[in-house]
Amino acid sequence: MMKNENATIRINSWLKRLSRHSSQSLIIATVAMLLASSSTALAQTEQQQLLNMINQERAKQNMQPLAMNDKLTKAAQDWSKYMADNDYFNHLSPDGTTPQQRAQQAGYPDFSGWENIYAGGGDLGKPANTFDGWMNSPGHKANMLKADLNEVGLGVAVNSTGVKYWTLLAGIGKNVKAPMANKPIAAPAKMDWEDKNTQFSGGPIMVVGVPNLATFGKPDPTRKGFQSLIYNGVLRADRKYTIETKSTDFNTYLELKNINGKEASAANGRPNAVLEFQPKANGTYQLKASSFQAGATGQLEVWITSNPAN
C-alpha cells in the first residue's frame, strides 16, 4: 500500500511542476493512465497474496497448488467489478447467469463453477481478512480445499466508498502437472505391465478393470476422500503411450509419475481421461487411476497402449 501512495505523491508533484506548460491536458491524461496502472498493479499483488495463502493451506492438506488461469481470472475480475459498480452481492447475476456459465463465457472449456465472493471495507477488504473469512465458512473453505481443483481466477474491485469486492472462481483444467513431481516414489515390489513391442509394432500393454472403485480401490494419500488404483511398470523413451481411464459411472482422473520424481503428468476426463505421453528416458513409472469426484462408486477401466515413436 505504501508503494501505491508514494507513487501518487510523486505523480502529483510531477504534475504541479509541468502544469505551467500548454500541454496540461495531455499530462493529465498521462497521469490518469499511470494511476490506473498503479491501481492495477496493486490489485495483482493482492491477488497473488491471496493465492499464496490458499496454496499454503492446500500444501498443509497435501493437495496440489492452484495455478492462476487467465480466463478464470477474467471471469472473476469482471464479476467483482460488476458487484462493486452496482452494489450487488450474489453468486447469480440478475439474469440468472451462474459462475460456471460466466467461466464458459470467458472461454474456459473445462470444469468450473466453484466460486467464493467476499466484500469488506478498509482492513476487512485486505487479502488476509478475505482468506480468514472464507476459511471460517465451511462452504467457502471446501471450495478452496477441493482436492482435484488445479486452476483458479481471482478478481478484486473497489466501489466508490472503498469497499473491496473479491471473487474466487476455481476449475479443473485438463493435462496439468501432477502434484509433487519432484518427490521420488519407493521402488515397486512388482511390475504390472511390460512393453515388448518391436520398433514398428504397437498395441495395448495393460488393460485392467474393477467392478467398483469404492470396493477395490485404496485410500489415496494425496487426495483426501478418494479411492485409487495404483499400477507400476517400465515405459520406454522410444515409444509413445496413450493412457486412458474409462468409466460409465463417474468422471475419471489419472496421474503418471516416474519413481525418481523427475517426470509427472495428469489428466481429467468427462467421463474418460486420456493422457498422451512419451518418456524422456527409459524408466519405471507409477500410474494412479481414480475418480474425478470424491466418494465415487462404480466400474473403472485402465488402458495403456504403446505406439511407435515415429
Side-chain angles (χ1 to χ4, degrees), residues 4-290:
N4 193 45
E5 291 173 351
N6 289 339
T8 303
I9 292 169
R10 289 196 299 272
I11 292 167
N12 287 339
S13 176
W14 177 62
L15 176 58
K16 289 178 181 178
R17 290 198 304 272
L18 295 176
S19 62
R20 308 180 195 79
H21 299 278
S22 58
S23 57
Q24 183 174 357
S25 60
L26 176 61
I27 295 169
I28 292 173
T30 304
V31 169
M33 291 175 61
L34 289 169
L35 286 172
S37 176
S38 178
S39 176
T40 300
L42 178 63
Q44 291 174 344
T45 300
E46 289 187 322
Q47 290 166 339
Q48 188 61 53
Q49 290 174 0
L50 182 55
L51 178 62
N52 291 343
M53 295 175 197
I54 295 169
N55 280 337
Q56 287 169 6
E57 187 62 32
R58 288 178 66 87
K60 293 178 185 177
Q61 306 294 328
N62 203 22
M63 296 177 182
Q64 62 184 320
L66 302 180
M68 288 287 275
N69 177 276
D70 291 342
K71 292 175 181 178
L72 289 176
T73 295
K74 182 183 186 307
Q77 184 61 44
D78 287 351
W79 190 237
S80 285
K81 186 177 186 306
Y82 179 89
M83 291 192 294
D85 290 347
N86 295 278
D87 191 26
Y88 188 83
F89 191 75
N90 202 311
H91 292 290
L92 291 178
S93 68
D95 66 1
T97 302
T98 66
Q100 183 169 3
Q101 289 171 330
R102 288 194 291 272
Q104 292 170 344
Q105 291 168 0
Y108 189 75
D110 299 318
F111 290 100
S112 63
W114 293 273
E115 183 182 79
N116 288 353
I117 57 177
Y118 177 91
D123 287 346
L124 291 177
K126 291 183 176 180
N129 286 313
T130 303
F131 175 76
D132 289 343
W134 286 339
M135 284 296 291
N136 290 326
S137 167
H140 294 90
K141 180 179 179 180
N143 280 347
M144 292 191 296
L145 300 182
K146 183 174 173 61
D148 44 357
L149 294 175
N150 53 43
E151 295 182 317
V152 70
L154 291 169
V156 58
V158 186
N159 72 3
S160 58
T161 63
V163 175
K164 288 182 179 177
Y165 287 78
W166 283 91
T167 302
L168 174 152
L169 184 58
I172 305 174
K174 295 180 180 178
N175 294 321
V176 297
K177 288 294 182 182
M180 296 182 293
N182 61 348
K183 186 176 181 180
I185 303 170
K190 68 180 184 71
M191 297 295 183
D192 298 295
W193 76 78
E194 57 181 330
D195 188 350
K196 293 184 177 181
N197 285 293
T198 65
Q199 181 180 359
F200 301 106
S201 67
I205 58 173
M206 186 180 80
V207 180
V208 295
V210 295
N212 193 335
L213 178 62
T215 302
F216 292 90
K218 296 181 180 179
D220 192 324
T222 63
R223 302 171 78 223
K224 289 190 175 181
F226 288 79
Q227 300 287 106
S228 294
L229 305 175
I230 296 178
Y231 304 99
N232 300 279
V234 174
L235 298 181
R236 292 161 35 189
D238 63 344
R239 312 293 292 177
K240 290 182 179 179
Y241 296 91
T242 301
I243 305 170
E244 300 176 82
T245 47
K246 303 179 181 182
S247 178
T248 58
D249 299 310
F250 50 77
N251 297 323
T252 61
Y253 171 85
L254 67 86
E255 185 178 296
L256 183 70
K257 293 183 180 182
N258 188 302
I259 66 167
N260 65 16
K262 293 183 179 180
E263 286 185 279
S265 297
N268 305 305
R270 294 182 279 180
N272 302 333
V274 180
L275 179 65
E276 304 287 346
F277 183 76
Q278 182 173 2
K280 295 179 181 179
N282 296 348
T284 301
Y285 287 79
Q286 182 181 93
L287 172 63
K288 180 192 296 182
S290 183

